Amino acid sequence: AVSAVGGKKNRSVIREGRVDTPHVDDLVGEEAAALVKMRGRVDSLCCELDAVNWTATKITSSKADEKHESVSVAFVREFCGDYCLLRYLRARNWNVADAMGMLVETLKWRWSTRPDLIAWDSVSKQAAAGSNYQHGFDTHGHPVFYMRARRDPPGSTKEKLDLILYNMEQGVNAMDEAKGVEKFVYIIDLKGFSVSQAGADPKLAQQWISVLQSHYPERLGCVFVIDAGMIFTGFWNVISYFIDAETRNKMDFKSQEKFRKELPKSLWFSAAQLEVDYGGKVHPKVSEQHYKAAISSTYAGDREALSVTDDSKPSLERNVTANSKPSKNKFSFFGFNR
């Protein structure tokens, strides 16, 4: 059977009422057996944590090292639920050894990075411009993320990746587990983006894709890339060689006009679920006025470089002070300027 929105094939049936993955009770024999083996591997891993200092030998974290904290069994157990294990198994074609190896690498990364602990206060400055946010859900209950490249403010790669991770973690928390919702949907709008705008950085898209492939397997539903210009297309032709085939197949390039025209027949959206720029009826979560005001108040010293007009300055719920300079990098693959 196949997911209602054309996801990866499963040997077991995704019954009515579920979206991306079968219920555990509906797994066919070989899949159920693989899950049992994965559970056993996780049990063995937890026993090893009790006997071995993973902080020093396997999982390293600056925070953990400073406080001499070893990764806990609770940390592993909380992450390694059945549906998590199934995602790693599907990502590795049900090969238990490969799936477990991938899972261990994710545990290392999550313990050192702790994307689940990124606080709003640490990303609010980047978020104020409205270049990257989650707003609503698609027809199947997937969280929908909007990324507008031309709004990307200056900032370091870490600052911008932290915002992406923060949003993804919030998206995961918003998924309806009872319906088997496990995937994100992205709308990446490149209209008006320029490689010369302040903050453009080629590292961000590469790092984000790497994190998605390595540590959020089976989480990407579809990516709609709107109004990709020739420069981006050229970059994509290069970077796509380093992206697995399944991820590449989830990229859908369209003009804004074509996206709006095809909306009535879309398998993903209805007009009631989309923002108005894309043919929907929902007002943007961050308006153009708020974007301009955020740039004006946050990067007041870099107005000329940012090329932002001073048409209006509506008050913001979160106002921040300027303390960063635009990056000198001139390129950005997905418009995620870092």
Side-chain angles (χ1 to χ4, degrees):
V2 182
S3 165
V5 289
K8 187 174 181 177
K9 291 183 178 180
N10 294 274
R11 297 186 185 95
S12 50
V13 175
I14 300 178
R15 299 188 185 278
E16 185 176 355
R18 294 187 66 82
V19 178
D20 298 315
T21 185
H23 191 277
V24 171
D25 293 339
D26 293 327
L27 297 175
V28 297
E30 56 192 297
E31 293 175 348
L35 177 59
V36 170
K37 290 180 181 179
M38 279 291 283
R39 288 171 179 166
R41 295 287 183 96
V42 171
D43 289 341
S44 298
L45 180 62
C46 289
C47 291
E48 182 181 343
L49 293 182
D50 291 334
V52 179
N53 185 351
W54 260 37
T55 299
T57 59
K58 294 185 178 179
I59 296 182
T60 60
S61 162
S62 57
K63 179 179 178 181
D65 289 341
E66 289 172 2
K67 297 184 178 181
H68 305 287
E69 294 178 355
S70 296
V71 61
S72 68
V73 172
F75 172 83
V76 175
R77 292 290 189 192
E78 182 179 2
F79 184 73
C80 297
D82 281 348
Y83 292 106
C84 172
L85 301 184
L86 287 171
R87 284 192 298 275
Y88 282 81
L89 283 166
R90 289 199 303 273
R92 289 297 177 261
N93 295 313
W94 301 93
N95 182 303
V96 174
D98 290 349
M100 192 63 196
M102 185 184 191
L103 177 61
V104 168
E105 291 304 311
T106 294
L107 289 170
K108 294 178 184 179
W109 175 79
R110 289 187 70 86
W111 183 247
S112 63
T113 307
R114 293 315 301 261
D116 54 319
L117 297 183
I118 296 174
W120 167 254
D121 288 347
S122 69
V123 298
S124 59
K125 179 179 177 179
Q126 284 291 320
S131 63
N132 171 16
Y133 58 77
Q134 187 256 323
H135 195 193
F137 302 85
D138 72 0
T139 302
H140 307 281
H142 302 118
V144 178
F145 293 87
Y146 294 84
M147 293 182 168
R148 289 177 171 85
R150 67 180 182 81
R151 289 187 177 184
D152 284 343
S156 70
T157 302
K158 183 181 185 307
E159 288 172 337
K160 299 209 172 210
L161 187 59
D162 278 355
L163 176 59
I164 293 174
L165 294 176
Y166 174 86
N167 286 333
M168 288 199 299
E169 291 291 316
Q170 296 301 309
V172 168
N173 293 337
M175 291 177 181
D176 189 342
E177 294 184 354
K179 293 183 178 180
V181 177
E182 293 190 328
K183 299 182 185 295
F184 309 119
V185 174
Y186 279 87
I187 296 176
I188 299 177
D189 191 342
L190 298 178
K191 183 178 181 179
F193 170 70
S194 170
V195 296
S196 63
Q197 70 184 49
D201 183 346
K203 296 179 182 179
L204 183 57
Q206 293 172 306
Q207 290 191 17
W208 178 54
I209 291 172
S210 176
V211 166
L212 269 176
Q213 291 185 154
S214 301
H215 306 307
Y216 292 84
E218 299 295 305
R219 285 294 196 191
L220 191 60
C222 189
V223 178
F224 295 94
V225 182
I226 307 298
D227 287 340
M230 293 180 61
I231 293 178
F232 174 83
T233 302
F235 281 134
W236 174 251
N237 290 337
V238 174
I239 196 175
S240 61
Y241 287 103
F242 303 97
I243 300 173
D244 65 65
E246 187 176 350
T247 300
R248 290 199 304 271
N249 291 337
K250 293 176 180 178
M251 307 293 293
D252 192 352
F253 294 80
K254 296 180 183 293
S255 67
Q256 187 179 75
E257 180 182 1
K258 185 176 181 181
F259 186 92
R260 293 168 65 100
K261 184 178 180 180
E262 294 178 351
L263 180 58
K265 298 181 180 180
S266 174
L267 295 176
W268 297 88
F269 308 107
S270 70
Q273 296 162 324
L274 271 182
E275 292 189 356
V276 292
D277 289 348
Y278 310 101
K281 299 179 180 179
V282 180
H283 291 294
K285 189 172 184 178
V286 178
S287 69
E288 192 69 11
Q289 282 188 331
H290 276 70
Y291 154 65
K292 291 180 179 180
I295 293 295
S296 297
S297 62
T298 307
Y299 304 100
D302 300 313
R303 300 291 301 287
E304 184 176 351
L306 290 167
S307 300
V308 176
T309 60
D310 194 13
D311 296 336
S312 60
K313 293 183 180 179
S315 61
L316 293 176
E317 291 182 6
R318 302 179 181 90
N319 194 15
V320 287
T321 58
N323 60 9
S324 64
K325 295 294 182 181
S327 166
K328 294 182 180 180
N329 294 317
K330 297 297 183 182
F331 304 102
S332 172
F333 293 118
F334 281 170
F336 313 144
N337 307 327
R338 227 147 171 197

